[in-house]
Amino acid sequence: MTTVSTPASARLALHGISKRYASVIANDRIDLKVAAGEIHALLGENGAGKSTLMKIVYGVTQPDEGSIEWEGAPVAIRSPAQARRLGIGMVFQHFSIFETLTVAENIALALNERLPAATLAARIDEVSQRYGLPIDPQRLTHGMSVGERQRVEIVRCLLQSPRLLIMDEPTSVLTPQAVQVLFETLRRLAREGVSILYISHKLDEIRELCDVATILRNGRVSGSAIPREQSNTSLGRMMVGADLKECKLEPRPPGPIRLELTNLSLDTEDPFGTSLRQINLRVRGGQIVGIAGVSGNGQKELLAAISGERLCTQRAAVRLCGQDAARLNPAQRRTLGLRFVPEERLGRGAVPGMHLADNCVLTGASAGLVRHGMVRRRAARAFARATIAEFAVKCDGELAPADSLSGGNLQKFIVGREIRLAPTVMLVAQPTWGVDVGASLLIRQALIELRNAGAAVLVISEDLDELFAICDCLAVLARGRLSDAMPTAGLAAETVGVWMTGEFQGAGAAAGVAGAGV
């Protein structure tokens, strides 16, 4: 491992920072320095302590031990408002947005100055357009997709003109084009003297963007490196302490049709949403089909139509395992073998304040966790323990509240819970959003093994690399329309990028494989 010297004088310096939660040591005597104009990566597995450390810097959490220096002077950061006054801004991995408010109202809450509504709206328009993250200031946030909410968080932070910008997984749901726009913005900010602390599990991004990296493991600093001098493999080894195994997708003949959408059209209930128009798709057993696309192009509506959260008037629009399911509710669709991992972990994938065992009961009642209307506590706890063990979930046992887990560990738990319920059809949205490289490989391999066992798997993701790695076929959703599903072998990422703009009329014929994937 390369050891990188840190500057004697720094914009931000942390000395011996420690933070404990019950029996868990999140941060253990951490030292860190960030210079002016430096893009500094913070790497580590989920649960390594990265987000906790950044919350301490931003004033959300107070350290148990240690001290902080800001521009050479000792400081105690007691609140985010104080951090913003110092010049520290943060884009969180989990969004801090009030869903009943507009974009402008959410942004106004985080600003230390009060601006007239028209002035603020004009600034939001100007900043969002300049940085390639267009958002409507007057739009209500409750109907926004994950990617659109991410834009709000980033623009809100940039409006504060920070001197230190903390970014926790800022590109998890951005398109490749938007990522490059963001990178140019960050480089420009760094040239102007802004310090940037950058957390990401995408090692290609770290190597492309960051000047130096500090690696955390089990709450401690385990080393540092210059990312551009490392490979993804060496960085991954530094993070987890071992070599990572690659996912393997072996060719296999597809089985019978398990999920079929036929001329599915569905008007959105959100005035800012996207209606679905004439969606046709088939997913067979032993097959993973991926759907790519930019957030806000109908992903939310398509997930609702397949999961049963929205019912369709056309009886044959949705078929599960050969049966009409368009008018069946989510519980009825589960009896046909459908399992669902939503993109929002907390609130939809799991109830934050409930412990993991009870969260298993929510979707596993039919798997023997409920009998005669009564919860079988021992069975629920045993099921949760087995999920924790099988999917290497770092937590304080099966009675740990869902919101006590890091984002990646909660994602592993939710995916593991649904896989262990033996789905015939698995619907997964953003399976590895904000998940570290080791956990990403575990989740992806688990989906491949589910496919190998004969399940039909539909993955909706904005991570093209992920879709190409695990999918047999790939389609694109744009403006509420779905392209043909084409074999990923031989399909160029540039072609998919064009389809994401909505230009995919006759895509199957253009690729020379008409009807592939159906």
Side-chain angles (χ1 to χ4, degrees):
M1 180 185 297
T2 303
T3 300
V4 180
S5 60
T6 54
S9 175
R11 173 157 289 158
L12 174 72
L14 307 180
H15 303 289
I17 295 294
S18 295
K19 181 66 180 180
R20 297 174 182 84
Y21 293 100
S23 61
V24 177
I25 301 176
N27 294 147
D28 188 3
R29 294 166 292 176
I30 290 179
D31 296 328
L32 177 69
K33 291 185 179 181
V34 183
E38 180 179 76
I39 304 180
H40 193 121
L42 195 61
L43 297 179
E45 294 182 273
N46 291 118
K50 306 182 301 297
S51 293
T52 297
L53 189 64
M54 294 304 96
K55 289 177 181 178
I56 288 173
V57 173
Y58 194 56
V60 175
T61 300
Q62 301 303 308
D64 297 325
E65 300 173 12
S67 61
I68 301 174
E69 291 182 10
W70 176 253
E71 297 185 331
V75 64
I77 305 175
R78 301 298 184 188
S79 68
Q82 181 185 354
R84 291 192 295 268
R85 286 193 294 270
L86 289 172
I88 301 173
M90 183 168 181
V91 177
F92 288 90
Q93 177 182 353
H94 294 295
F95 310 138
S96 50
I97 288 176
F98 291 93
E99 296 192 349
T100 57
L101 302 182
T102 66
V103 169
E105 289 167 341
N106 269 288
I107 289 176
L109 292 174
L111 299 181
N112 290 333
E113 58 177 329
R114 291 190 176 184
L115 298 175
T119 301
L120 178 57
R123 286 189 60 187
I124 292 171
D125 275 329
E126 189 270 328
V127 170
S128 65
Q129 293 296 333
R130 186 198 323 161
Y131 296 142
L133 304 167
I135 49 176
D136 179 357
Q138 304 309 322
R139 181 174 174 183
L140 288 168
T141 56
H142 74 87
M144 284 184 160
S145 66
V146 171
E148 291 166 325
R149 295 182 190 206
Q150 181 75 286
R151 296 177 201 171
V152 177
E153 293 279 6
I154 294 173
V155 170
R156 174 163 61 184
C157 199
L158 292 176
L159 278 168
Q160 300 167 25
S161 301
R163 284 183 286 171
L164 170 66
L165 179 60
I166 303 170
M167 308 205 81
D168 193 353
E169 299 290 348
T171 66
S172 295
V173 289
L174 298 181
T175 65
Q177 296 89 338
V179 169
Q180 291 306 313
V181 170
L182 178 63
F183 281 8
E184 286 305 312
T185 299
L186 297 180
R187 292 187 185 104
R188 183 167 66 245
L189 290 169
R191 288 193 296 269
E192 294 170 356
V194 177
S195 304
I196 298 167
L197 264 169
Y198 193 89
I199 300 175
S200 176
H201 294 118
K202 298 183 178 181
L203 299 181
D204 285 328
E205 290 183 359
I206 296 296
R207 294 170 56 223
E208 177 183 351
L209 177 68
C210 299
D211 303 311
V212 65
T214 295
I215 296 92
L216 300 185
R217 191 188 308 161
N218 297 323
R220 295 182 177 182
V221 174
S222 61
S224 57
I226 298 174
R228 71 179 70 92
E229 296 179 354
Q230 302 292 329
S231 65
N232 286 1
T233 300
S234 62
L235 286 175
R237 188 184 304 117
M238 293 178 195
M239 290 168 56
V240 303
D243 290 329
L244 299 173
K245 297 180 180 180
E246 294 296 326
C247 293
K248 293 183 179 180
L249 187 70
E250 301 291 345
R252 58 167 291 147
I257 297 171
R258 299 296 190 191
L259 171 65
E260 185 173 18
L261 308 180
T262 304
N263 295 324
L264 171 64
S265 294
L266 188 66
D267 290 332
T268 180
E269 294 180 329
D270 179 1
F272 299 102
T274 301
S275 297
L276 303 177
R277 292 291 175 257
Q278 300 295 307
I279 301 291
N280 291 282
L281 180 69
R282 290 176 179 174
V283 186
R284 297 177 179 272
Q287 184 183 51
I288 300 179
V289 174
I291 296 181
V294 180
S295 284
N297 275 269
Q299 289 92 336
K300 180 180 65 174
E301 289 80 5
L302 182 59
L303 288 166
I306 298 174
S307 68
E309 294 169 278
R310 285 288 310 277
L311 303 185
C312 305
T313 57
Q314 315 109 295
R315 183 180 296 274
V318 180
R319 290 176 63 83
L320 286 169
C321 302
Q323 298 188 41
D324 290 337
R327 300 182 186 178
L328 300 183
N329 62 36
Q332 291 169 323
R333 296 188 195 198
R334 282 185 168 273
T335 64
L336 296 178
L338 177 67
R339 299 291 181 260
F340 178 32
V341 177
E343 63 178 342
E344 297 171 1
R345 299 166 187 148
L346 287 174
R348 295 191 66 210
V351 177
M354 288 175 58
H355 56 63
L356 299 181
D358 278 354
N359 269 291
C360 289
V361 175
L362 295 178
T363 62
S366 61
L369 304 188
V370 174
R371 178 180 294 169
H372 305 306
M374 301 295 291
V375 175
R376 300 178 64 206
R377 297 291 180 187
R378 287 186 179 179
R381 292 183 63 172
F383 187 95
R385 283 196 301 271
T387 303
I388 291 166
E390 184 175 344
F391 288 84
V393 179
K394 293 182 180 179
C395 65
D396 198 18
E398 74 274 13
L399 297 183
D403 56 5
S404 70
L405 275 64
S406 68
N409 279 295
L410 182 59
Q411 183 73 354
K412 285 194 291 184
F413 181 81
I414 294 170
V415 172
R417 176 191 67 191
E418 297 303 293
I419 287 178
R420 295 192 67 250
L421 292 172
T424 306
V425 178
M426 183 73 159
L427 175 61
V428 188
Q430 311 293 352
T432 60
W433 171 47
V435 174
D436 68 56
V437 60
S440 293
L441 290 173
L442 186 152
I443 289 173
R444 292 170 184 175
Q445 189 60 43
L447 293 176
I448 290 173
E449 291 172 2
L450 185 64
R451 165 254 200 192
N452 293 343
V457 183
L458 181 63
V459 177
I460 297 180
S461 175
E462 295 176 46
D463 187 336
L464 281 183
D465 291 337
E466 174 171 75
L467 293 176
F468 274 101
I470 68 172
C471 295
D472 299 284
C473 298
L474 180 60
V476 172
L477 187 65
R479 303 171 193 167
R481 297 169 53 245
L482 189 68
S483 75
D484 293 340
M486 308 301 298
T488 51
L491 184 61
E494 292 78 11
T495 301
V496 176
V498 172
W499 293 356
M500 289 168 70
T501 68
E503 299 297 327
F504 51 69
Q505 190 69 34
V513 198
V518 299

